[in-house]
Amino acid sequence: MQQTKFNRRDLVAAGLAAAGFAALSPPVPALGQGAALPLTPSCDGKAAVTRRQTEGPYFTPSSPLKPDLRGDGAGEMLALSGFVLTPQCRPVAGALVDLWHANVGGDYDNSGFRFRGHQFTDAQGRYQFLTRVPGLYPGRTRHFHVKVRAGRGPVLTTQLYFPDEPGNTRDGIFDRALLMAISAAEGGRLGRFDFVIAG
Ligand code: FE
């Protein structure tokens, strides 16, 4: 399967069913529903690079290696997962994915690392965070902040959004290209987003 290209949607579905996601089963059993979908060796070869967005005022460098942020506060659980891919839809292994977001009350932890953590994509280019749905704060719609970096390459700084969020249309930073696919799961929500980074 070396150099095989995959359809991005199928990659995510298959990835969620893989062993690395099995740990999610107790809180969100529906995560395994992608199991029946096969990998499809097809790709248009020109996936759009994920758009950059402002970092905002609340980034803290050197977050801990911590894919499970659920213990950082209250709120509805959300499993955020997907792939880091090249524009040719090839998974990028070992890519840094750094996530930070507000707590359920809309506040950032600016003195510590609650709801701040990073991880590295696995050999198949997958990442997964377990966290809580961020709260709202004045002037912004609901969002995650993310930085993605492959090796010593350029840092992609962007934000992710929730579909059907009333505040989206009132937020001048909001970009529908950065909408996660959100679905309900027992015990919380699933959020899926694939990052496509320039080589
Ligand atoms: Fe923010």
Side-chain angles (χ1 to χ4, degrees):
M1 295 289 283
Q2 191 175 17
Q3 295 295 307
T4 299
K5 298 174 183 177
F6 299 107
N7 175 281
R8 291 171 56 206
R9 184 171 301 161
D10 290 341
L11 270 173
V12 170
L16 287 168
F21 289 79
L24 295 176
S25 293
V28 281
L31 275 173
Q33 288 181 345
L37 294 176
L39 290 174
T40 302
S42 64
C43 172
D44 60 12
K46 48 188 175 183
V49 172
T50 301
R51 294 182 186 172
R52 298 177 177 280
Q53 290 219 304
T54 177
E55 176 180 286
Y58 303 121
F59 175 65
T60 301
S62 304
S63 72
L65 177 62
K66 189 174 69 171
D68 188 347
L69 310 182
R70 289 175 297 175
D72 290 352
E76 184 182 3
M77 203 194 87
L78 187 147
L80 171 62
S81 60
F83 285 77
V84 176
L85 302 169
T86 69
Q88 291 74 39
C89 296
R90 293 196 177 94
V92 180
L96 169 72
V97 184
D98 195 346
L99 175 74
W100 73 104
H101 65 86
N103 67 13
V104 70
D107 296 315
Y108 287 86
D109 180 6
N110 293 313
S111 58
F113 291 95
R114 286 191 294 273
F115 293 117
R116 300 176 184 275
H118 74 268
Q119 64 184 269
F120 296 92
T121 54
D122 67 12
Q124 286 75 47
R126 302 173 299 190
Y127 73 93
Q128 60 161 339
F129 286 100
L130 294 177
T131 189
R132 308 279 179 177
V133 175
L136 294 167
Y137 60 92
R140 294 303 317 279
T141 190
R142 205 178 307 277
H143 62 280
F144 286 120
H145 292 271
V146 187
K147 287 179 182 285
V148 181
R149 186 182 197 188
R152 304 302 294 175
V155 177
L156 168 69
T157 300
T158 193
Q159 302 183 32
L160 300 180
Y161 297 97
F162 292 74
D164 303 322
E165 185 71 29
N168 286 350
T169 57
R170 299 189 297 269
D171 187 330
I173 301 175
F174 169 76
D175 184 339
R176 65 174 46 259
L178 297 169
L179 283 170
M180 294 175 285
I182 296 286
S183 57
E186 186 174 339
R189 300 190 217 177
L190 308 181
R192 300 185 187 177
F193 192 87
D194 294 347
F195 297 98
V196 179
I197 58 174

